[in-house]
Amino acid sequence: MTDRYAVIGNPVAHSKSPLIHAAFARQTGQKLVYERLEAPLDDFVDTAAQFLAMGGSGCNVTVPFKEEAFRFANLLSDRAELAGAVNTLWLDDEGVVGDNTDGAGLVADLLLHTTLAGKRILLLGAGGAARGVIAPLLDEEPASLCIANRSADKAVALAGHFAELGEVAGMGLAGLDGQSFDLVINATSASLAGASLPLPASLWQTGPVAYDMMYGTQETPFLAQARAAGVQQRLDGLGMLVAQAAEAFYLWRGLRPDTAPVLTELRAQL
């Protein structure tokens, strides 16, 4: 029987994950099917449990369910435990295993374009997407990592959770006025909703690299903000998506696919 996988989210119709995993399967000679599942906002657990109970081998989890997936898993990897968020699930003899490949995917993509060691990094957002990338970013030994969120309390609490791993602080978006960074990463879902963030003009004055963890057929609102402010190096999250998917594929199948041709193929389709 062909193994079944899925990506679960809301919304999820835009997801390129089925195309990515189909390409990985062709490249590595694996037989599998991969589908999209849109879970009701209040019913992630039943959607995931039913998929696995009906023969699903594993699934990826996207916004806004990564923290719920963390609570759903019976067993957690060290990086998922630290993140408090899960984006990859699968079944083994002991139950549902949860891992987080977001950080590995983000760092792998960023390092193709810039360096992270010694840099001042700003991470926008304090939800599940942000939680999954903080430890891997700090592993690269930046000079500092600032987490900024609409709710300052949530950002401060998240920074405290990772304080032992490096120089990390949290604040509200209003606290960014007058500060400068080398790299600004958008981990909010604002771009998915087609919305801009209330960011001060001073944020862009030093010409940081702008990276949106979201992607689309058109420029995201966050990257449009950066372009309007004169930022030259602007990157979307398609490379991160492919890299984190490769990590998930490796966890599921024990094979590590080549991401470069898959990313090129996806870019051509956007």
Side-chain angles (χ1 to χ4, degrees):
M1 189 173 79
T2 303
D3 290 339
R4 294 175 56 223
Y5 298 91
V7 56
I8 303 177
N10 186 328
V12 78
H14 68 287
S15 176
K16 302 294 185 187
S17 291
L19 299 176
I20 294 169
H21 284 276
F24 288 165
R26 290 192 301 271
Q27 184 188 112
T28 58
Q30 297 288 290
K31 291 185 178 181
L32 58 87
V33 294
Y34 191 109
E35 60 192 284
R36 300 178 184 90
L37 291 176
E38 182 167 289
L41 290 174
D42 60 351
D43 202 14
F44 165 77
V45 169
D46 284 349
T47 301
Q50 183 176 13
F51 175 73
L52 294 173
M54 296 295 291
S57 298
C59 55
N60 291 128
V61 182
T62 188
V63 292
F65 300 124
K66 295 181 183 183
E67 289 170 271
E68 287 187 64
F70 173 82
R71 295 187 289 272
F72 173 68
N74 303 120
L75 301 169
L76 295 165
S77 69
D78 289 343
R79 58 189 175 184
E81 185 80 59
L82 185 59
V86 159
N87 79 330
T88 305
L89 295 166
W90 70 93
L91 288 173
D92 74 3
D93 294 340
E94 298 184 65
V96 181
V97 183
D99 202 344
N100 194 310
T101 67
D102 279 337
L106 173 64
V107 168
D109 191 38
L110 280 169
L111 291 177
L112 294 175
H113 305 282
T114 187
T115 58
L116 299 176
K119 296 297 181 66
R120 298 161 300 166
I121 300 175
L122 170 62
L123 182 66
L124 299 168
R131 295 185 70 99
V133 304
I134 294 171
L137 285 172
L138 290 172
D139 282 345
E140 296 299 313
E141 300 184 345
S144 62
L145 174 63
C146 176
I147 304 166
N149 190 56
R150 290 181 188 270
S151 168
D153 290 348
K154 192 171 182 181
V156 170
L158 191 56
H161 180 71
F162 291 92
E164 294 184 0
L165 300 183
E167 188 66 32
V168 57
M171 64 178 64
L173 295 180
L176 294 173
D177 195 17
Q179 299 208 42
S180 62
F181 299 91
D182 302 304
L183 169 64
V184 180
I185 302 170
N186 178 31
T188 76
S189 59
S191 289
L192 196 59
S196 297
L197 293 167
L199 301 173
S202 60
L203 190 65
W204 310 110
Q205 289 178 356
T206 55
V209 176
Y211 190 102
D212 198 335
M213 287 168 59
M214 300 298 171
Y215 66 93
T217 56
Q218 304 295 323
E219 185 179 48
T220 69
F222 171 76
L223 294 181
Q225 282 180 276
R227 175 176 50 80
V231 174
Q232 297 299 306
Q233 193 168 9
R234 306 180 305 275
L235 306 166
D236 69 15
L238 192 62
M240 172 186 172
L241 178 71
V242 175
Q244 66 80 26
E247 185 75 7
F249 191 90
Y250 174 75
L251 292 171
W252 291 334
R253 313 299 295 185
L255 297 168
R256 196 172 292 280
D258 181 5
T259 59
V262 179
L263 180 57
T264 299
E265 180 183 339
L266 285 181
R267 287 282 180 211
Q269 295 175 18
L270 288 181

